[in-house]
Amino acid sequence: NMEYAANRVTQGARLFVLAAAVLLITVSLAGASASMPRFSLSAVVDGKIVQSIDFKGKALLITFFATWCPPCRKEIATLKKLQNEYGSKGFSVIGLSVDEKGPKVVAKLMKQEKINYPVLMSERPTVKDFGGIAGIPTSFLINKKGNVVKCYPGYVAHALLVRDIQMILQ
């Protein structure tokens, strides 16, 4: 009888964990059109504080990356191209570095790659506010109203980003 009761408790716990996971996934998906989290982070180049409000009314591609991440580095060419193509149309790429070695390492990469978009040093609370990042690169497409419309885990092809950016700029 005790074994039966223990099994019932274990089953109940499993169901609870499963229900919690389903709820979490549902909330995450529903949050796809949620407002972009606010941030206030220092710029890699000059250390000035840049706030999310500075980009009000712009469409954004916010990408979490690190200098030591090969797919992140591969993506830089695409991001520079997008900044060139759509920067004058109310769009900006924003790089959020999760490098723990600090801005000097990131500044070196920016210079080397001639990065033409703002790059900021991310902080743990910012990563958490964006729903946590399972891997890098992870990018978020934000429409001009400031809503997150798409999340891209991993490297994203230029053509896909162009299609999605054009849709939100219309």
Side-chain angles (χ1 to χ4, degrees), residues 6-59:
N7 278 341
R8 297 292 296 158
V9 170
T10 304
Q11 278 182 320
R14 278 193 199 120
L15 280 174
F16 176 77
V17 169
L18 182 63
V22 168
L23 181 65
L24 188 65
I25 289 166
T26 306
V27 169
S28 298
L29 292 175
S33 63
S35 290
M36 173 181 76
R38 292 176 184 257
F39 58 80
S40 185
L41 302 166
S42 58
V44 167
V45 175
D46 56 13
K48 284 188 180 155
I49 297 299
V50 177
Q51 298 183 358
S52 48
I53 198 84
D54 299 340
F55 300 95
K56 190 174 169 70
K58 276 192 165 194

Side-chain angles (χ1 to χ4, degrees), residues 1 9 30 40 46 52 65 82 100 120 126 141 146 166:
N1 225 3
V9 170
S40 185
D46 56 13
S52 48
F65 78 100
L82 293 172
E100 291 178 2
L120 314 174
T126 306
L141 188 62
Q166 286 177 342

Side-chain angles (χ1 to χ4, degrees), residues 41-157:
L41 302 166
S42 58
V44 167
V45 175
D46 56 13
K48 284 188 180 155
I49 297 299
V50 177
Q51 298 183 358
S52 48
I53 198 84
D54 299 340
F55 300 95
K56 190 174 169 70
K58 276 192 165 194
L60 304 171
L61 182 70
I62 296 179
T63 184
F64 287 86
F65 78 100
T67 58
W68 47 262
C69 157
C72 300
R73 293 182 77 135
K74 181 181 176 195
E75 200 170 55
I76 292 172
T78 291
L79 300 176
K80 289 186 337 190
K81 210 184 288 184
L82 293 172
Q83 186 65 36
N84 283 335
E85 291 171 47
Y86 301 103
S88 62
K89 297 175 179 144
F91 169 83
S92 183
V93 171
I94 302 174
L96 296 184
S97 171
V98 296
D99 279 87
E100 291 178 2
K101 290 188 176 167
K104 279 190 176 129
V105 175
V106 185
K108 186 178 168 191
L109 177 74
M110 286 182 71
K111 193 175 179 182
Q112 208 176 306
E113 296 286 344
K114 297 179 178 68
I115 292 177
N116 60 348
Y117 50 86
V119 178
L120 314 174
M121 293 305 294
S122 186
E123 294 170 354
R124 279 204 174 93
T126 306
V127 171
K128 194 170 150 264
D129 290 348
F130 272 87
I133 307 296
I136 52 172
T138 295
S139 302
F140 296 88
L141 188 62
I142 317 291
N143 66 17
K144 288 185 175 186
K145 292 178 186 159
N147 295 322
V148 177
V149 292
K150 205 154 188 186
C151 173
Y152 309 92
Y155 176 83
V156 189

